[in-house]
Amino acid sequence: MIQSPEHLTLEQFLDCRFDLPEAGQWAELQAGQIVLLQPPDLDHGNTLLNFSKAMADWAHQAGARESAAYACFDLGLRIEREPDTVRFPAVSIFHEGPRFAESDRAATDSRPAIVLELLTSAERRAQFAARATQYLSSGVRAVWGVDPRARSGHDIRTAQSAETDSRLEFLEFPEVLPGFRLDVASLFHEPEWWSRAR
């Protein structure tokens, strides 16, 4: 944590974020104080790419046209105020309001229906239950956690279930993503060029 004599607001945090290590890519705001998170493992990018492809495939299917859902990547979510707490999950999936309304923002007070956390560092794995509870308390309906190291996926819908084993084989939420059913194992496939390079 970077101690500041005063609590920063979301706006102040965004103003100084790019001056932080790695341009603030792994920084968040916790109760008005800047927190630097551990950079993720190498699996982070591959898992996120596979999820992005699955969302794109779903969006091009006929059923997706009936849904207003869309994904934002690394969007800041202000989940507490005065002092402000801002989290940056890997993916936030919205399905209310104008489509793509949140896409060009650095951060928002709006609530996504689903948050995807990639558990790609020891810190993120240890904090997942607490972060899931915080998201749910702020109005998020489901928190998905994907852990490439354990080859597991988790679907948290209540604060109580955040503390229990929530492993599952598929990620799905028909009310938000009709027709979307993602095999968790598919998120860990390495691209062919990466396998050849090794």
Side-chain angles (χ1 to χ4, degrees):
M1 181 177 291
I2 299 177
Q3 292 289 344
S4 171
E6 61 181 25
H7 294 306
L8 297 180
T9 65
L10 164 64
E11 293 75 19
Q12 290 169 327
F13 171 67
L14 293 178
D15 284 344
C16 71
R17 187 177 180 212
F18 292 105
D19 296 326
L20 298 171
E22 298 189 60
Q25 185 174 9
W26 313 118
E28 294 185 333
L29 196 63
Q30 174 68 48
Q33 300 294 314
I34 296 172
V35 176
L36 300 179
L37 303 176
Q38 293 174 348
D41 302 336
L42 293 176
D43 291 327
H44 185 97
N46 184 60
T47 307
L48 186 57
L49 177 62
N50 287 333
F51 184 84
S52 301
K53 287 180 178 178
M55 283 293 297
D57 289 345
W58 170 81
H60 285 94
Q61 293 171 0
R65 287 196 293 268
E66 300 170 8
S67 172
Y70 63 95
C72 294
F73 299 86
D74 293 317
L75 173 68
L77 304 177
R78 177 160 43 189
I79 56 176
E80 291 178 353
R81 282 179 170 271
E82 298 181 357
D84 289 355
T85 292
V86 183
R87 299 287 187 212
F88 286 83
V91 184
S92 299
I93 299 173
F94 294 86
H95 85 299
E96 294 179 345
R99 198 165 194 205
F100 306 118
E102 306 295 334
S103 296
D104 293 328
R105 297 183 179 175
T108 184
D109 289 311
S110 298
R111 288 294 165 263
I114 305 169
V115 158
L116 171 69
E117 285 268 313
L118 295 184
L119 312 183
T120 48
S121 71
E123 184 177 53
R124 289 173 190 272
R125 288 186 284 273
Q127 295 178 359
F128 177 58
R131 290 171 70 92
T133 298
Q134 200 171 39
Y135 286 128
L136 294 168
S137 297
S138 76
V140 173
R141 293 172 60 186
V143 181
W144 290 344
V146 174
D147 185 347
R149 177 176 288 181
R151 296 291 197 259
S152 64
H154 307 267
D155 185 347
I156 309 295
R157 305 283 175 102
T158 66
Q160 292 76 21
S161 65
E163 299 295 339
T164 62
D165 188 352
S166 59
R167 293 182 190 218
L168 73 170
E169 189 175 349
F170 296 95
L171 294 177
E172 55 188 336
F173 196 157
E175 299 90 339
V176 175
L177 301 173
F180 182 86
R181 189 169 195 258
L182 178 59
D183 185 344
V184 172
S186 70
L187 293 173
F188 313 125
H189 291 163
E190 293 180 346
E192 187 176 329
W193 63 266
W194 176 260
S195 301
R196 283 198 309 264
R198 296 199 300 180

